[in-house]
């Protein structure tokens, strides 16, 4: 269904629920209330108080049941969403499941999710166990579950709550989100995405989810839950949306926005999900994939999102030597606050890979020691699954092969290796 007006009415569910499991061997030795009390001083308010209040209300239940009473959790899907062999082994050895369930009205804060995850993580800590997020079919270690909850300013990383899986079909890649229904919003989808935009478009989808979720929760801000929320048909997505969704608002904030047209794609099967489809804006010529590629180029201006591997070349060697020679000066300017306003310092460094070093970018957040750079990854790595867009990284200065200053127009200083690539020399970095 295509809505041609300025806004698209999206239905609002009457209530939302969350379910988390804690696999254990034997029975828990600590009550849920005691486990939550142990988080005092470690869990920010209002989440800590919210978890305690919901434990004392009919909105939350915590039950321990023999594991045989439940359908088997599919190990193949758990593995696809990141389960480790150790986590699967602990699940196989479990005799019971602690089941934490909560219900709440749509709106912000999503009390059902925050409280249920907090209680489950608190219980898992007491048994040195894991949390299973039933909605996302994901294992979470207790520390990761607690880190995903709001900080003192109420901020979260949306990537801790919303996944972006994809699959391939004849027209390209089909991307969906998995997690927006936690908040009552329909999941997003995009079809016909070019194969080479795997990581970049996943980040764009996450940024779009952040922007639309903000509009969604604003539409639910009244005392009464409405039957529909009006979302803009033309959604604006910026680099700042992506950066905030990954928990790094200083990253990519100066890039130009892109427009995506929202279209409701209702399910014909009552057991299937409806989607909000992301399409090019009206009047865009050519296939959707061409627009998606242009959108990625705009939002990631100055940093190529695709991975390339090292090959020897004189021009590239000179470029790396030039970049390394300037590290001391750029660090001094960074520490002195002498970089131009609204710019971001990024470094390119090497990761070991089966096909040779893989080079990725990271935004610099701290550089107190000359030998050690602290930052946030600006791209996903093939060779290291822990290096994801927005993830914290520590970079040895000896591994740095390039650096650059970015503003809204792209690279304004540095980027010597990228200049070699743009000139058609043998590729060595992304």
């Amino acid at each position: 269904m295509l809505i041609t007006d300025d806004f698209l009415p999206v239905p609002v569910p009457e209530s939302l629920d969350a379910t988390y499991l804690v696999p254990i061997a034997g029975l828990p030795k600590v009550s849920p209330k005691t486990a939550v009390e142990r988080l005092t001083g470690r869990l920010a308010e209002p989440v800590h108080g919210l978890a305690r209040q919901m434990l004392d209300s009919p909105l939350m239940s915590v039950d321990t049941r023999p594991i045989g009473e439940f359908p088997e959790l599919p190990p193949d899907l758990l593995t696809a969403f990141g389960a480790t062999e150790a986590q699967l082994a602990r699940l196989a050895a479990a005799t019971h499941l602690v089941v934490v369930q909560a219900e709440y009205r749509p709106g912000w804060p999503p009390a059902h999710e925050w409280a249920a995850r907090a209680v489950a993580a608190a219980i898992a800590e007491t048994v040195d166990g894991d949390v299973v997020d039933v909605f996302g079919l994901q294992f979470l270690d207790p520390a990761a579950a607690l880190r995903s909850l709001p900080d003192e300013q109420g901020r979260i990383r949306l990537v801790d709550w919303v996944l972006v899986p994809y699959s391939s079909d004849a027209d390209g890649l089909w991307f969906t989100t998995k997690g927006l229904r936690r908040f009552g919003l329909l999941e997003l989808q995009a079809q016909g995405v070019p194969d080479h935009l795997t990581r970049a478009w996943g980040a764009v989808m996450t940024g779009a989810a952040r922007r639309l979720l903000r509009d969604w929760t604003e539409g639910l801000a009244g005392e009464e839950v409405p039957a529909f929320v009006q979302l803009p048909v033309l959604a604006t997505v910026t680099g700042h949306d992506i950066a905030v969704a990954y928990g790094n608002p200083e990253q990519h904030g100066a890039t130009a926005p892109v427009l995506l047209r929202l279209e409701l794609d209702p399910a014909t099967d009552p057991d299937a999900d409806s989607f909000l489809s992301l399409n090019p804006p009206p009047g865009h010529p050519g296939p959707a994939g061409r627009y998606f590629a242009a959108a990625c180029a705009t939002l990631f201006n100055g940093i190529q999102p695709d991975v390339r591997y090292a090959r020897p070349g004189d021009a590239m060697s000179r470029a790396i030597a030039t970049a390394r020679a300037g590290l001391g000066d750029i660090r001094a300017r960074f520490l002195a606050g002498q970089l131009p306003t609204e710019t971001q310092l990024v470094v390119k460094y090497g990761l070991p890979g089966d096909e040779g070093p893989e080079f990725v970018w990271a935004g610099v957040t701290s550089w107190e020691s000359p030998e050690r750079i602290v930052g946030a990854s600006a791209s996903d790595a093939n060779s290291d699954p822990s290096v994801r867009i927005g993830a914290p990284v520590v970079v040895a200065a000896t591994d740095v092969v390039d650096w650059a200053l970015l503003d809204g127009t792209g690279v304004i200083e540095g980027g010597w290796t990228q200049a070699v690539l743009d000139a058609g020399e043998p590729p060595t970095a992304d």
Side-chain angles (χ1 to χ4, degrees):
M1 177 174 67
L2 173 61
I3 304 297
T4 56
D5 295 329
D6 293 337
F7 293 93
L8 181 70
V10 179
V12 180
E14 293 183 2
S15 64
L16 301 172
D17 59 79
T19 302
Y20 290 84
L21 307 176
V22 181
I24 59 174
L27 295 174
K29 297 180 174 59
V30 175
S31 71
K33 287 186 179 180
T34 301
V36 171
E37 287 296 335
R38 291 180 177 180
L39 297 179
T40 301
R42 298 171 50 208
L43 190 60
E45 296 296 348
V47 179
H48 192 214
L50 185 66
R52 289 180 296 174
Q53 291 171 17
M54 292 194 75
L55 269 174
D56 290 329
S57 79
L59 295 174
M60 177 179 285
S61 64
V62 182
D63 300 309
T64 302
R65 305 177 194 171
I67 197 168
E69 294 184 6
F70 293 85
E72 182 185 8
L73 292 170
D76 53 342
L77 289 179
L78 289 168
T79 300
F81 286 112
T84 66
E85 291 185 6
Q87 289 168 332
L88 293 173
R90 287 192 290 270
L91 176 62
T95 61
H96 292 76
L97 289 175
V98 179
V99 184
V100 182
Q101 295 181 300
E103 182 179 359
Y104 202 64
R105 56 161 277 176
W108 201 264
H112 59 298
E113 283 286 352
W114 289 357
R117 186 174 285 198
V119 171
I123 295 171
E125 270 199 340
T126 67
V127 296
D128 294 325
D130 306 297
V131 176
V132 179
D133 172 14
V134 173
F135 182 93
L137 275 180
Q138 273 192 303
F139 273 97
L140 301 171
D141 68 73
L146 293 174
R147 282 196 304 270
S148 71
L149 294 166
D151 62 14
E152 292 79 4
Q153 286 76 44
R155 299 171 301 189
I156 62 169
R157 296 190 337 147
L158 192 60
V159 290
D160 292 328
W161 298 88
V162 176
L163 305 175
V164 186
Y166 64 90
S167 59
S168 181
D169 58 29
D171 297 322
L173 298 177
W174 174 37
F175 279 79
T176 61
T177 59
K178 185 176 179 59
L180 288 177
R181 282 194 296 113
R182 300 179 190 271
F183 312 104
L185 182 58
L186 296 178
E187 303 291 356
L188 306 181
Q189 71 172 357
Q191 296 175 289
V193 179
D195 291 349
H196 70 282
L197 297 179
T198 304
R199 291 179 295 281
W201 188 253
V204 174
M205 289 280 287
T206 306
R210 183 259 174 182
R211 172 57 65 99
L212 290 171
L213 183 59
R214 188 182 68 175
D215 294 338
W216 175 255
T217 54
E218 287 177 354
L220 297 171
E223 293 185 4
E224 298 294 328
V225 177
F228 295 88
V229 166
Q230 302 282 347
L231 293 180
V233 169
L234 288 180
T236 302
V237 181
T238 67
H240 181 71
D241 291 316
I242 297 172
V244 171
Y246 282 91
N248 290 283
E250 73 279 2
Q251 297 286 321
H252 302 295
T255 56
V258 299
L259 290 176
L260 294 169
R261 176 171 54 86
L262 212 59
E263 184 176 345
L264 181 61
D265 185 10
T268 55
D269 183 343
D271 295 325
D273 292 330
S274 298
F275 286 97
L276 293 173
S277 295
L278 299 178
N279 299 300
H284 171 71
R290 185 181 302 169
Y291 183 80
F292 295 154
C296 289
T298 297
L299 292 170
F300 294 95
N301 191 10
I303 298 180
Q304 297 293 332
D306 297 324
V307 176
R308 308 179 192 183
Y309 293 95
R311 297 187 182 96
D314 291 341
M316 189 58 70
S317 297
R318 290 194 297 271
I320 293 172
T322 301
R324 286 176 169 167
L327 281 177
D329 177 68
I330 195 63
R331 173 177 178 267
R333 291 161 58 194
F334 173 81
L335 294 175
Q338 295 176 349
L339 301 182
T341 57
E342 297 187 355
T343 61
Q344 172 66 44
L345 175 61
V346 294
V347 294
K348 183 187 288 184
Y349 65 102
L351 294 170
D354 293 339
E355 301 177 42
E358 177 187 353
F359 292 89
V360 292
W361 289 96
V364 178
T365 57
S366 175
W367 200 347
E368 295 182 4
S369 167
E371 298 83 15
R372 184 174 180 271
I373 304 168
V374 179
S377 181
S379 57
D380 291 346
N382 282 346
S383 57
D384 188 341
S386 69
V387 178
R388 292 292 177 263
I389 296 177
V393 293
V394 177
V395 180
T398 53
D399 292 336
V400 173
V401 297
D402 202 356
W403 58 265
L405 283 181
L406 306 179
D407 69 0
T409 64
V411 177
I412 62 171
E413 185 179 349
W416 292 274
T417 61
Q418 191 63 52
V420 173
L421 294 174
D422 292 342
E425 296 289 341
T428 65
D430 57 330

